[in-house]
Amino acid sequence: GQNIDQPTEMTATEGAIVQINCTYQTSGFNGLFWYQQHAGEAPTFLSYNVLDGLEEKGRFSSFLSRSKGYSYLLLKELQMKDSASYLCAVRDPRGRGATNKLIFGTGTLLAVQP
Amino acid sequence: GAGVSQSPRYKVAKRGQDVALRCDPISGHVSLFWYQQALGQGPEFLTYFQNEAQLDKSGLPSDRFFAERPEGSVSTLKIQRTQQEDSAVYLCASSPERTQPQHFGDGTRLSIL
């Protein structure tokens, strides 16, 4: 089966650091993605991990442990504009044509407070 | 274009009507995906095109849903005899090829009355 879990909501303070966790149990795995989605807008690609370890990209970092089925997104120096939903997605290489479709979690709604 | 463009942004239809949703991917992107996003949920896969070939339609919820990409660029998702449970945001995403990160459009918010 396919199961991706992430917290529904989180609150953090401007300037602080927040870690959003994601655990997954999927039949296939070909990488894990994090997307940011503001209300009414398109999901925007943030990061991609296919090997274990930490990927850093400016204020955003993402970590993956394939053996534990676990990832986290770390946001540093939080800004008000970071208030959004953060979607964890596993790429599934199976299926006719090796689709590599994304299987998403329900998203974590992050509220950044002054 | 600069990004994935979808139209219309909003669509209201009466139950039983047919609707057509358009996606204009980033120029040159071979792979095109359609997803359905219910309120408060993550997107769910509907179908995948590589150029004009529909290689995976395993996520289409019923035979009322039909998608095409006849010339390998613009794609249309058609829903026949719409029902209230079809109300959702329909997202289109494209990528240079299937293993590259997908770039999403703003979606079409469909409301069935």
Side-chain angles (χ1 to χ4, degrees):
Chain A
Q2 318 279 41
N3 194 39
I4 299 177
D5 286 320
Q6 45 181 137
T8 305
E9 296 180 352
M10 296 184 72
T11 302
T13 304
E14 191 176 15
I17 299 173
V18 70
Q19 177 175 313
I20 302 174
N21 296 323
C22 172
T23 57
Y24 64 91
Q25 290 177 311
T26 57
S27 302
F29 181 85
N30 190 20
L32 188 141
F33 293 77
W34 285 94
Y35 281 82
Q36 179 192 61
Q37 187 176 28
H38 287 98
E41 296 183 10
T44 304
F45 169 71
L46 291 178
S47 70
Y48 165 61
N49 297 71
V50 66
L51 300 176
D52 291 351
L54 188 68
E55 293 285 339
E56 296 187 82
K57 206 178 196 182
R59 294 190 299 116
F60 297 87
S61 302
S62 58
F63 171 84
L64 175 67
S65 168
R66 288 172 297 169
S67 62
K68 296 181 179 177
Y70 169 69
S71 173
Y72 67 72
L73 179 69
L74 196 70
L75 291 78
K76 304 174 187 174
E77 301 168 14
L78 280 172
Q79 303 174 10
M80 299 298 290
K81 67 178 183 179
D82 296 330
S83 293
S85 182
Y86 290 85
L87 299 162
C88 172
V90 169
R91 187 164 63 191
D92 184 352
R94 301 170 308 141
R96 183 168 174 265
T99 302
N100 282 286
K101 62 178 179 267
L102 295 178
I103 302 167
F104 286 87
T106 57
T108 298
L109 188 60
L110 174 66
V112 179
Q113 298 179 339
Chain B
V4 178
S5 177
Q6 292 188 246
S7 62
R9 286 281 280 127
Y10 303 92
K11 176 69 178 178
V12 179
K14 292 182 180 178
R15 187 165 52 95
Q17 289 183 330
D18 298 348
V19 298
L21 313 179
R22 176 188 169 106
C23 171
D24 208 329
I26 294 172
S27 179
H29 278 195
V30 168
S31 296
L32 186 145
F33 300 79
W34 282 98
Y35 293 85
Q36 180 190 60
Q37 186 173 25
L39 191 64
Q41 301 295 315
E44 289 194 7
F45 170 77
L46 293 176
T47 188
Y48 164 66
F49 288 87
Q50 181 174 297
N51 294 308
E52 70 279 1
Q54 188 176 21
L55 298 187
D56 189 339
K57 52 183 181 180
S58 62
L60 296 176
S62 77
D63 59 7
R64 297 185 296 104
F65 287 71
F66 171 78
E68 60 183 6
R69 194 186 184 196
E71 296 178 359
S73 55
V74 171
S75 177
T76 303
L77 177 67
K78 298 179 180 177
I79 309 173
Q80 297 176 326
R81 305 181 304 281
T82 53
Q83 300 177 5
Q84 283 194 319
E85 60 260 33
D86 299 335
S87 296
V89 175
Y90 290 84
L91 294 166
C92 176
S94 70
S95 61
E97 55 90 21
R98 75 186 85 188
T99 63
Q100 296 291 316
Q102 297 173 26
H103 300 267
F104 284 81
D106 285 338
T108 294
R109 183 176 296 277
L110 176 64
S111 297
I112 305 300
L113 305 178

